[in-house]
């Protein structure tokens, strides 16, 4: 036994879930200390590759809550709720020419374009003409499927104009986060 330096105490009530060993995982270095359990408890282990993947994914999602806050449906969400929603974002990469969403098709996802990506949105107007808009980093599309009403179809066709990586959020994940915790003026059914 060496000298006691720190005591880790977990608590479900206080949402305290301490961790240790992350420096060894991040830098592929030996652990700097030994951990000795003083009571029975449950411990989760994480492989270095899994940890690095989680950290990389979090980096890609960093700032996504700020983009979500700009979207009408999420304006009333608290910071904590936005972080919860952002945790469900998944990445997908599209190559130039890929159609990501199609106008008139049933939709279930919102898309956020990551840095380096670019897309083109084409929407058919009531008079039969079309409106084209260029989209780039931090722009989003498909948010119409999160709004209330019976119309759950995409209002434009979006095509990648370069290799583009998007963060995707499914409507079902938003419902999961909102759950019974809150009732907003916006229906997401």
């Amino acid at each position: 036994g060496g000298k006691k330096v720190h005591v880790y105490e977990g608590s479900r009530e206080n949402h305290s879930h301490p961790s240790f060993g992350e420096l060894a995982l991040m830098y592929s270095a030996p652990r700097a200390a030994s951990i000795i359990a003083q009571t029975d408890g449950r411990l989760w282990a994480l492989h270095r590759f899994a940890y690095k993947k989680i950290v990389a994914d979090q980096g890609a999602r960093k700032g996504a809550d700020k983009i979500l806050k700009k979207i009408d449906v999420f304006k009333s969400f608290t910071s904590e709720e936005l972080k919860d929603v952002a945790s469900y974002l998944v990445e997908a990469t599209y190559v130039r020419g890929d159609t990501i969403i199609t106008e008139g098709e049933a939709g279930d996802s919102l898309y956020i374009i990551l840095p380096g990506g670019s897309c083109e949105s084409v929407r058919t107007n009531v008079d039969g003409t079309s409106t084209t808009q260029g989209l780039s980093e931090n722009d989003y599309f498909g948010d119409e499927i999160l709004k209330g009403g019976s119309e759950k179809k995409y209002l434009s066709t979006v095509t990648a104009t370069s290799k583009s990586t998007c963060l995707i959020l499914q409507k079902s994940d938003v419902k999961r986060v909102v759950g019974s915790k809150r009732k907003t003026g916006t229906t997401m059914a």
Side-chain angles (χ1 to χ4, degrees), residues 1-4 6-8 20 33-39:
K3 178 180 162 193
K4 186 189 305 186
H6 184 75
V7 175
Y8 292 92
F20 53 87
S34 296
I35 306 296
I36 300 169
Q38 295 177 330
T39 62

Side-chain angles (χ1 to χ4, degrees), residues 33 35 37 51 76 91 108 131 138 142 154 159 164 169 176 186-187:
I35 306 296
Y51 180 78
S76 66
E91 252 184 52
D108 67 352
T131 303
N138 297 334
Y154 289 121
T159 306
S164 300
L169 179 64
R176 190 173 293 123
T186 305
T187 306

Side-chain angles (χ1 to χ4, degrees), residues 4-149:
K4 186 189 305 186
V5 191
H6 184 75
V7 175
Y8 292 92
E9 288 187 44
S11 167
R12 285 185 186 190
E13 295 78 31
N14 297 329
H15 301 289
S16 174
H17 309 288
S19 62
F20 53 87
E22 62 276 5
L23 293 176
L25 290 173
M26 288 187 327
Y27 302 114
S28 300
R31 290 184 316 274
S34 296
I35 306 296
I36 300 169
Q38 295 177 330
T39 62
D40 289 342
R42 185 171 289 170
L43 204 58
W44 293 81
L46 197 57
H47 193 278
R48 177 183 307 122
F49 298 116
Y51 180 78
K52 286 185 175 183
K53 171 82 172 119
I54 290 167
V55 170
D57 287 350
Q58 283 180 332
R61 286 190 214 109
K62 189 175 184 182
D65 53 334
K66 290 182 180 104
I67 297 166
L68 291 171
K69 186 74 173 170
K70 295 177 187 175
I71 301 171
D72 288 342
V73 171
F74 299 116
K75 285 187 177 177
S76 66
F77 281 42
T78 65
S79 294
E80 196 57 42
E81 288 168 329
L82 286 171
K83 285 180 183 172
D84 285 349
V85 170
S87 74
Y88 284 95
L89 292 166
V90 293
E91 252 184 52
T93 301
Y94 303 93
V95 296
R96 181 185 174 117
D98 281 353
T99 299
I100 302 170
I101 64 172
T102 303
E103 182 176 3
E105 285 189 359
D108 67 352
S109 299
L110 160 81
Y111 298 79
I112 299 170
I113 303 171
L114 290 178
S118 62
C119 297
E120 180 180 79
S121 172
V122 179
R123 178 180 286 199
T124 304
N125 300 318
V126 178
D127 64 2
T129 61
S130 59
T131 303
T132 302
Q133 178 184 5
L135 302 171
S136 60
E137 100 178 44
N138 297 334
D139 285 337
Y140 56 89
F141 54 92
D143 53 309
E144 62 270 18
I145 60 97
L146 297 175
K147 297 176 182 168

